[in-house]
Amino acid sequence: MSTVPASPSPSTAEVRGAHLVGSVNLPDAESVLRAVGERLGDRMHRIPDGEVVERFYWIQFQTRRFDTMSGISRIAVEPFYLREQFDARPFQLDDGVSADDLVFPDLGYADAALESYATFARLADEGVFSPGTRFQVSLPTPAAIAGAFVVPQDRAAFEPAYERALLGELARIVDAIPHERLAIQWDTAVEFGLLEGRIEPWFDDVLGGVVSRAVRQAQAVPADVEVGYHLCYGDVEEAHFVQPADAGWLAAVTSGILDGAGRPVAFIHLPVPIERDDAAYFAPLAEVEIPAETELYLGLLHHEDGTEGAERRIAAASTAQPRFGVATECGFGRGPSERTAGLLDLHAAVAGAW
């Protein structure tokens, strides 16, 4: 329950701009891009394609790619299913196989980005978006794939092999899309399972390892392409894998990225649980120096309590950071489709225009 009065002090924050993490429950990329452009155009610096079709459940579709590969196999137990669509058995390296020898198929990220960008470019030419709006491509971190889908003893070997394949997808994206119209978002979620002790780590100094990976991801993106981060505590059945005690780990990772990236970081998104309208949750963020070129977005919009709840959380957040934009905690592509329009309108109601 909240630890602050029912009517908190008015916010002193400058709330400008909105951010969409990625997934949006609409039927196709054009529907997403049009809806966001029309409802939130003057509040968005970048727009994703909604992670439609196979990407609706974040990274789960990658396992279907792995099922086609030689050298890795699911563990030999009775299958169990996530939402009756995805076999949830983890993968292991086959006997005698080195991860260095794995040959990955197309992972699907570049194909989806290039197809959706063609739609984005057409709609931009039609004036659907505000001038300067970028096309946002969200990519998972290699640690997310290894931590979610690979048995613990093989994660250290598998992660760099998958990273090479994913960076190949990134190279296709940045080669095909004009840099001035592109933004790359790194989805960083499983890492917080590691930091919170919910997932067995495969590297020493967990915080240092998480930050060094994030820095490497920033540096893999060309300097004239925007890069940003969605830091996340998970969204399985619209719930975190653990409720953070406060924003401490989020603050630590954010500071590490900003200090180590060696290049501008365009944006960072952080989740805010619905019940956390107390200053204590946000207090660690007061120690984070957000550069002028970095947009901070707080995922404090929740469909359950709308603008009233958002205003309480904004007031609490303003005790730690004076300016930020707003977002939901995670994507909302897995929520009911009838909720989508209302969530977009909630962003518009709470976020000031740029």
Side-chain angles (χ1 to χ4, degrees), residues 18 24 59 61 73 90-91 107 193 205 254 297 340:
V24 177
I59 55 178
F61 78 102
S73 305
F91 290 84
L107 301 179
D205 180 13
T254 298
Y297 292 96
T340 299

Side-chain angles (χ1 to χ4, degrees), residues 56-142:
F56 84 100
Y57 212 85
W58 193 37
I59 55 178
Q60 289 294 332
F61 78 102
Q62 291 294 276
T63 63
R64 292 173 175 163
R65 300 296 200 277
F66 300 162
D67 280 329
T68 70
M69 293 173 56
S70 299
I72 59 171
S73 305
R74 295 185 187 268
I75 62 172
V77 297
E78 187 70 20
F80 55 99
Y81 291 88
L82 177 65
R83 282 197 167 191
E84 300 182 353
Q85 295 150 312
F86 300 104
D87 184 346
R89 293 175 299 163
F91 290 84
Q92 61 187 355
L93 291 170
D94 293 342
D95 289 345
V97 172
S98 168
D100 292 339
D101 296 329
L102 293 177
V103 178
F104 288 85
D106 285 348
L107 301 179
Y109 290 105
D111 288 344
L114 272 54
E115 180 179 352
S116 293
Y117 176 73
T119 303
F120 175 91
R122 173 169 52 83
L123 296 180
D125 291 343
E126 293 176 11
V128 173
F129 314 125
S130 297
T133 302
R134 291 185 181 234
F135 177 64
Q136 177 184 313
V137 176
S138 301
L139 296 175
T141 63

